[in-house]
Amino acid sequence: MNLKQKKIGRVILVGAGPGDPGLITVRGRDAIKRADVVVFDHLVCKELVDIAPAHAKHIYVGKKVGKHTLKQEEINELLVREARLGHDVVRLKGGDPFIFGRGAEECQLLRANGIQFEIVPGVSAVAAVPAYAGIPITCRDYSTSFIAVTGHEHACKEESDVDWASIARVNSTLVIFMGVLNIGCITNKLIENGKSPETPTAVIRWGTYSHQKTIIGSLSTIADQVQRANLRPPGLIVIGEVVRFRESLNWFETRPLFGKTIAVPRARSQASRLSQSLIGMGANVIEIPAARHEPIQAANPLGEILHEIRDYDWIVFTDDQSVHSFFDSMNQKGYDTRSLANCRIGAIGDETISALSEHGVKPDFIPTRFCSAHVVEELSSQFPLDKVRILIPCQDEIHEGLSQSLQNAGAIVKNAVIFSDYDNATEEFLLNGQRLDLVAFTCSTTVHNFINRIGINEAKRIAGNTVFASIGPLTSSALHEYGFEVKVQPQQSDIQSLTNAIAVHCQDDSEKD
């Protein structure tokens, strides 16, 4: 009798939130991290899909106006098929799965087919999008209730599923999903049924995204304003007295870098503290990977190095992917952390530190600044480096600058290449004609990788239309070698100082305009 049973996967419906990847729930993020398959919609941001493991399959099933990648029935069948193949499937849906989505239908079909499912609620646009526009949907003395309806159905047809007449008579905030294309009919219908033409009204496009746009008007004027601005979906309509709060509570669109598009060249697996810092100030950040990382399957030099790991005084990790690959190789070769008893551990970056903690390792050295020269300066001030043997697990020659600086300080350095770099980073970067306001470089290595990946001619084209920012003198020197002008360089070479310098430059530039 064969007791071995074929695994049946499950489907987790995860609400991705309205757009800002920071609004995903902790439970939702954890589900994506463990997924074998991610099935995602049009309004789900790429950053959330990229949380999935490297082996996970990404399947886009987005729906735009007049263009559906798959019919709903086909999406349902896809979920069942992938689960029956034994995969853990995350169905990633914009907002909340059960608010103006097809989550209930998908769950019904899964239940009918004996597929286990789970629901992870998401932050709904009904509250988040108005909040990001500075509009509370309820407020004492203004509105103590709200009504959320879908506006994709033509409000002027004879028999509507939405009772616009009843809605017009209620003194509640009205939040309308998918109504931008029908806004003229919707506003006319509300006015015809007694809603005051002067009722404050807002339309928020791409709410919670860095390119959010908000138009404020009245019920009688907003349709013309939307038409003049050529505002297209996706958008949310908010109608009610609470819209008046926009003037005093607009926080998201008034941040120092709102509306600015900034490119940050970096390795895909490295933590990008600069990106997060810029996003926090409102920038639209495009990260340019130095390379896409694949663990080397054959002739991995790390396998040979592990035999002599006790001969090294230091192992310096510069990114989380190097940490995981290093310890995976150790496990495959039958080693564990006891083999590192004679080694001190250095960690550069928060993600690197976090990755080490997952393997039960606490770093002996964490630099406060991440440029090669500063790392070596801090390390040598705490530990002697003369004739000290240092191992750097890395991807190709991405840490050549760090290696050279350590060697200049007297150390004996070995780079253990544990990634190959099959490259379609150029295709990812070339932005489809998107305009850049600034490119920010955090070390000289990112300069060299930037040039190597996209080519000197393309780099010169970009430099002719945008500003290059550098974290410090060494990085600026690398840019000067290629003939590029550096217009932004902070006095202190750290991430926060660079962020502040960029913000000051962009604000000064806006004032000149």
Side-chain angles (χ1 to χ4, degrees):
M1 180 177 178
N2 185 7
L3 298 178
K4 188 176 181 180
Q5 295 181 341
K6 181 181 177 182
K7 176 193 172 186
I8 299 295
R10 61 173 180 160
V11 178
I12 305 177
L13 274 74
V14 175
D20 182 343
L23 296 179
I24 187 76
T25 64
V26 173
R27 191 175 185 86
R29 180 180 290 271
D30 288 345
I32 300 169
K33 284 182 176 180
R34 297 191 300 269
D36 299 311
V37 179
V38 180
V39 180
F40 61 102
D41 286 342
H42 171 53
L43 294 181
V44 172
C45 66
K46 184 177 180 295
E47 289 90 337
L48 294 181
V49 179
D50 286 343
I51 294 172
H55 72 269
K57 181 163 50 172
H58 300 173
I59 304 176
Y60 174 70
V61 295
K63 300 174 183 177
K64 299 181 184 179
V65 177
K67 183 180 180 181
H68 291 188
T69 306
L70 292 178
K71 295 179 180 178
Q72 185 61 46
E73 294 77 11
E74 293 173 318
I75 295 174
N76 296 345
E77 293 170 3
L78 170 66
L79 298 177
V80 172
R81 182 169 64 251
E82 291 293 340
R84 284 179 171 166
L85 289 172
H87 297 149
D88 285 335
V89 182
V90 164
R91 174 70 173 103
L92 199 53
K93 302 174 75 70
D96 180 272
F98 283 178
I99 298 180
F100 298 124
R102 308 290 286 272
E105 297 173 38
E106 293 172 0
C107 289
Q108 284 179 320
L109 189 76
L110 293 169
R111 175 58 55 83
N113 283 272
I115 304 297
Q116 181 185 358
F117 65 85
E118 179 183 333
I119 309 297
V120 180
V123 176
S124 174
V126 70
V129 170
Y132 270 56
I135 301 170
I137 57 173
T138 65
C139 185
R140 189 175 58 177
D141 299 333
Y142 286 85
S143 176
T144 58
S145 62
F146 67 90
I147 299 171
V149 298
T150 176
H152 71 84
E153 178 190 74
H154 206 290
C156 297
K157 73 177 189 180
E158 290 185 8
E159 294 185 9
S160 173
D161 292 333
V162 179
D163 188 350
W164 295 106
S166 296
I167 289 173
R169 293 192 293 269
V170 178
N171 187 25
S172 299
T173 302
L174 180 58
V175 182
I176 303 173
F177 287 68
M178 299 170 283
V180 172
L181 293 180
N182 294 324
I183 190 168
C185 273
I186 291 170
T187 54
N188 287 339
K189 200 75 172 177
L190 291 170
I191 292 170
E192 288 172 9
N193 284 279
K195 199 77 171 173
S196 169
E198 302 306 314
T199 305
T201 304
V203 177
I204 309 153
R205 185 172 191 257
W206 286 112
T208 78
Y209 285 85
S210 58
H211 47 286
Q212 172 178 302
K213 183 174 183 179
T214 305
I215 294 179
I216 302 295
S218 68
L219 196 60
S220 61
T221 66
I222 196 69
D224 287 340
Q225 290 174 261
V226 166
Q227 185 176 15
R228 285 196 301 272
N230 195 29
L231 206 70
R232 307 291 296 172
L236 196 78
I237 305 169
V238 183
I239 301 171
E241 292 299 318
V242 291
V243 173
R244 298 187 190 278
F245 281 94
R246 156 77 175 182
E247 185 174 349
S248 59
L249 300 187
N250 178 17
W251 62 276
F252 185 65
E253 296 170 40
T254 56
R255 294 180 300 170
L257 295 176
F258 185 82
K260 301 296 183 182
T261 300
I262 299 176
V264 177
R266 71 174 186 85
R268 178 183 293 274
S269 64
Q270 290 176 334
S272 185
R273 293 174 62 240
L274 176 60
S275 294
Q276 292 305 313
S277 188
L278 293 170
I279 290 169
M281 286 197 172
N284 173 34
V285 174
I286 299 172
E287 293 191 331
I288 306 169
R292 297 185 64 179
H293 298 128
E294 283 288 296
I296 295 176
Q297 301 298 326
N300 188 342
L302 186 56
E304 300 175 8
I305 290 171
L306 287 172
H307 291 296
E308 53 188 40
I309 195 68
R310 290 178 175 84
D311 295 335
Y312 285 92
D313 302 294
W314 279 90
I315 305 175
V316 177
F317 293 98
T318 58
D319 61 83
D320 58 328
Q321 190 62 45
S322 293
V323 172
H324 295 308
S325 294
F326 180 86
F327 283 95
D328 286 347
S329 294
M330 283 187 62
N331 292 334
Q332 291 168 11
K333 298 291 183 180
Y335 294 88
D336 58 32
T337 53
R338 290 175 295 182
S339 305
L340 307 180
N342 296 329
C343 298
R344 285 190 170 102
I345 305 296
I348 299 177
D350 295 336
E351 291 291 329
T352 309
I353 298 165
S354 177
L356 282 167
S357 70
E358 291 180 29
H359 297 279
V361 176
K362 184 177 180 180
D364 299 284
F365 170 72
I366 301 169
T368 58
R369 293 177 289 181
F370 296 166
C371 271
S372 299
H374 295 299
V375 171
V376 176
E377 180 183 339
E378 289 188 42
L379 182 60
S380 61
S381 70
Q382 300 176 40
F383 303 93
L385 293 181
D386 188 43
K387 294 185 172 53
V388 168
R389 297 193 67 191
I390 299 176
L391 175 67
I392 304 178
C394 63
Q395 175 261 319
D396 288 346
E397 296 181 353
I398 195 169
H399 302 303
E400 184 179 354
L402 177 59
S403 299
Q404 188 60 55
S405 296
L406 287 167
Q407 289 171 14
N408 292 342
I412 302 168
V413 182
K414 173 69 175 180
N415 289 316
V417 180
I418 54 179
F419 297 111
S420 63
D421 70 340
Y422 76 97
D423 181 329
N424 62 1
T426 302
E427 287 79 5
E428 291 184 42
F429 164 62
L430 292 183
L431 304 175
N432 298 318
Q434 186 170 178
R435 180 182 175 275
L436 288 176
D437 295 289
L438 186 140
V439 183
F441 297 92
T442 55
C443 64
S444 57
T445 301
T446 60
V447 175
H448 301 311
N449 285 332
F450 176 76
I451 303 300
N452 291 338
R453 295 303 172 190
I454 71 168
I456 188 65
N457 291 333
E458 178 64 15
K460 287 181 177 179
R461 184 194 67 78
I462 292 169
N465 299 308
T466 190
V467 170
F468 279 8
S470 159
I471 197 168
L474 289 177
T475 306
S476 296
S477 177
L479 285 164
H480 294 153
E481 288 177 15
Y482 290 104
F484 297 125
E485 180 184 4
V486 175
K487 292 186 178 180
V488 179
Q489 179 188 305
Q491 291 185 344
Q492 293 186 326
S493 301
D494 58 65
I495 296 296
Q496 193 56 57
S497 297
L498 177 57
T499 305
N500 293 339
I502 290 170
V504 169
H505 170 83
C506 289
Q507 285 180 313
D508 290 346
D509 205 43
S510 296
E511 290 173 5
K512 290 176 185 176
D513 294 341

